[in-house]
Amino acid sequence: MSSIIQLLPDHVANQIAAGEVVQRPASVVKELLENAVDAKADDIKLIVKDAGKSLVQVIDNGVGMSPQDAKLCFARHATSKIRNAEDLFSLHTKGFRGEALASIAAIAHVEMKTRQSNEELGTHLIIEGSKFVSQDVAVLPQGTSFAIKNLFFNIPARRNFLKSDTVEFRHILDEFQRVAMAHPQIHFTMYHNGSEMFNLPASNLRQRIVGIFGGRTNEKLVPIAESTEIVSLEGFAGKPEFSKKNKGEQFFFVNDRFIKSGYLHHAVMAAYEGLLKEGCQPSYFIYLKVPPHSIDINIHPTKTEIKFDDEHALYAILRASVKHSLGQFSVSPVLDFERDASLDTPYGYKDRDAILPTIEVDAAFNPFGEVEVKEKKQVSPSGSYHRKNEHASWESLYVGLKHDTETIAEPVEMQFETEEVTASLFDESETAAQENRMYQLHRKYIVNPIKSGMVIVDQQRAHQRVLYEQFLTNMTVRQASSQQLLFPLNMYFSTIEMSLIRELQPSLENTGFVFSEINHDHVVVSGLPVNVAESEASIVMEELLSDLQDGIPETSFSQNDSIAKSMAKSLAVKTGTLLAEREQENLVNGLFACKEPDVSPFGKPTFITLRVEDIDKKFAI
């Protein structure tokens, strides 16, 4: 009987390994950038076309490779980062996955150019689907250039599973930002489809963060610094008033390597306790330095998760450091036991004696004795003066009182008008209006009586449905009304958010937004939709970008649908808002005038009907 188990060919094994190592173009970007950093380069360029599907090229001025190393680096389990198993627990480099370049070469067209500083000529290597096409000598600058073209050209199924260019480019930007923030001493440049996206010269941490996320980021940052035997901390935390709904600007770096850690994130959130609005997330950029032997970074294929030896101590140190920084820079409230300078004695009264009040007492005064009232000058209404002598005593208060009471006590005949008695206090129309009156329950539901029972409407979901259909109609017909602003608004966003705004500009203008300027880091808004107040404009834009950060639909209808849903969610009346009776009536009428009043834009029911028979059954028990 023949054997049914056999070894796979190398090119098939490499393609299988590529499924774990290379998930999307961003995986290639991460591998090549980390290799360039490990090559001790101080100038790195990233060139991307069609969100990495057509080209991902990384050019560095590092140490370069010899002709032998240039060919050997594409072999499986070949690496210059480690020599034995013990090196895995004392790593000072980035990438050390021996199958990374081999997997990339198995599913793409690879062109590599490299030259060492002590060599006159370099090596030009071309590989297509794990097959070496050519290796020639060439005149090249010092360093290495990797050009990865036509990713997944020989695996069409994997290429079809890639997302839209917007989504894939967003993942590439994430990887580029993480490497650039971890190494501010390196000059990074990024180009996409021929346009320069980033040009980040060598700088410090604060300048690198501001260069990536925009100039307005500087005023949001609070520095963090702490050094202990376990860990050394530095970085920045965002002020609570600049918190957002999404987690886009939250970064942990351990030994210059980006990581994700829910445990450390919880420590930071504990430091912000009581300072954030419900549902908001703070920004933070925290860099940790720990001994390499105290962590294990080989527990995840992408090396974004780390296991620490003493997580509890790290949690306590991180929480205390962030809380101390927020209090030190007067971001969080603190108890101040110092004296108040406003209570000090003014300088002009410092050497003066206090003036004691004097009291005069008339020992002969008798409140029950007869008192002779002195003559007083009185002014008549005409303006002339006259004198009057008056003697008063307490008995004079009751003079004539008996006569007045007798006069009041005399019987007086009283007559009343006859009034026609009606059968009901209210008219029939008023009674009907009382029966159909709406009520707001717990500032969440609107109860409306009907003939068969009652309708209970969820006010937030109902308003979402009304606004959603209004925005969708405006964008479809392209006749949205806009309110012009007397003073235009300047809104600042990061580079990624600005790219989304440029792509969404036509759809946003159809809703009523008017953009007079769109610059590299901010937009000038001169008009808003009628439903959007000036104070809500920035909130609506931030939530819209947050909802679309995972990708913008390619079709125009899907874009309009996503924008209408996001804006309806942001502008809808929230649970807990008190509505007047007229507002309740308008909301209910607007809901049942919609095309689909039964469900909200997110597929949840907007109202329920409770019949009288259902209520009777509850009492029949």
Side-chain angles (χ1 to χ4, degrees), residues 322-454:
V322 175
K323 199 171 187 66
H324 173 70
S325 295
L326 294 177
Q328 182 180 6
F329 292 92
S330 301
V331 175
S332 63
V334 295
L335 292 176
D336 187 5
F337 295 100
E338 296 181 358
R339 62 180 179 82
D340 189 353
S342 63
L343 300 179
D344 293 344
T345 304
Y347 181 79
Y349 294 87
K350 185 176 181 182
D351 298 327
R352 294 188 184 182
D353 295 332
I355 301 175
L356 299 177
T358 58
I359 302 175
E360 296 180 359
V361 179
D362 186 3
F365 175 72
N366 182 8
F368 298 100
E370 294 185 358
V371 181
E372 182 178 353
V373 182
K374 296 182 179 180
E375 294 183 357
K376 298 182 178 178
K377 287 184 178 180
Q378 296 186 355
V379 183
S380 64
S382 62
S384 61
Y385 292 94
H386 68 275
R387 296 176 182 271
K388 182 178 179 182
N389 293 331
E390 185 179 10
H391 295 277
S393 63
W394 64 272
E395 291 92 345
S396 62
L397 295 173
Y398 301 95
V399 175
L401 182 61
K402 182 178 180 181
H403 175 70
D404 292 340
T405 26
E406 290 175 354
T407 305
I408 296 174
E410 291 179 1
V412 178
E413 294 183 3
M414 302 182 67
Q415 295 180 354
F416 299 93
E417 291 184 3
T418 59
E419 191 173 278
E420 183 180 355
V421 179
T422 58
S424 175
L425 287 174
F426 303 100
D427 294 337
E428 292 183 1
S429 59
E430 294 179 356
T431 306
Q434 290 290 333
E435 291 178 355
N436 295 328
R437 182 181 177 186
M438 297 182 185
Y439 300 92
Q440 190 179 23
L441 182 63
H442 293 296
R443 297 188 178 185
K444 184 176 183 181
Y445 302 106
I446 298 174
V447 181
N448 185 25
I450 56 177
K451 290 183 179 180
S452 61
M454 66 176 67

Side-chain angles (χ1 to χ4, degrees), residues 79-183:
T79 179
S80 62
K81 315 296 174 63
I82 56 177
R83 289 291 181 265
N84 49 52
E86 286 73 17
D87 292 341
L88 291 174
F89 302 97
S90 183
L91 286 169
H92 299 275
T93 57
K94 297 286 186 185
F96 55 90
R97 294 171 295 178
E99 71 278 6
L101 289 178
S103 300
I104 294 173
I107 56 174
H109 296 164
V110 179
E111 181 179 3
M112 186 184 71
K113 299 176 182 179
T114 182
R115 182 179 74 85
Q116 293 179 321
S117 58
N118 56 352
E119 298 289 339
E120 294 183 355
L121 299 175
T123 303
H124 183 197
L125 189 71
I126 297 178
I127 302 176
E128 295 180 358
S130 294
K131 297 179 181 179
F132 282 89
V133 177
S134 64
Q135 182 174 355
D136 301 320
V137 177
V139 178
L140 301 170
Q142 177 186 341
T144 304
S145 169
F146 277 97
I148 313 299
K149 304 175 184 178
N150 304 323
L151 195 65
F152 298 120
F153 78 100
N154 53 356
I155 311 179
R158 287 297 307 274
R159 190 176 181 89
N160 292 336
F161 272 100
L162 293 177
K163 304 295 183 182
S164 64
D165 287 357
T166 305
V167 177
E168 297 299 338
F169 182 61
R170 175 60 189 263
H171 287 286
I172 291 175
L173 280 177
D174 289 341
E175 296 295 346
F176 176 80
Q177 289 177 354
R178 292 165 183 173
V179 177
M181 280 192 290
H183 302 277

Side-chain angles (χ1 to χ4, degrees), residues 293-311:
H293 59 81
S294 66
I295 57 175
D296 183 5
I297 59 177
N298 200 26
I299 63 173
H300 193 272
T302 60
K303 310 298 182 289
T304 56
E305 296 182 10
I306 289 182
K307 182 174 178 58
F308 298 93
D309 286 350
D310 194 352
E311 287 186 338

Side-chain angles (χ1 to χ4, degrees), residues 35-36 58 61 123 147 214 292 295 313 349 376 450 503 510 540 618:
N35 287 342
V58 173
N61 61 347
T123 303
I295 57 175
Y349 294 87
K376 298 182 178 178
I450 56 177
E503 190 167 350
N510 289 335
V540 171
K618 298 292 183 181

Side-chain angles (χ1 to χ4, degrees), residues 448-455 609-612 615:
N448 185 25
I450 56 177
K451 290 183 179 180
S452 61
M454 66 176 67
V455 175
T609 303
L610 194 62
R611 300 181 301 170
V612 176
I615 301 176

Side-chain angles (χ1 to χ4, degrees), residues 32-42 44 60-65 80-81 93-94 142-144 146 186:
L32 298 183
L33 287 178
E34 289 181 347
N35 287 342
V37 172
D38 287 337
K40 301 178 181 179
D42 58 9
I44 300 175
D60 67 71
N61 61 347
V63 295
M65 287 182 281
S80 62
K81 315 296 174 63
T93 57
K94 297 286 186 185
Q142 177 186 341
T144 304
F146 277 97
I186 299 177

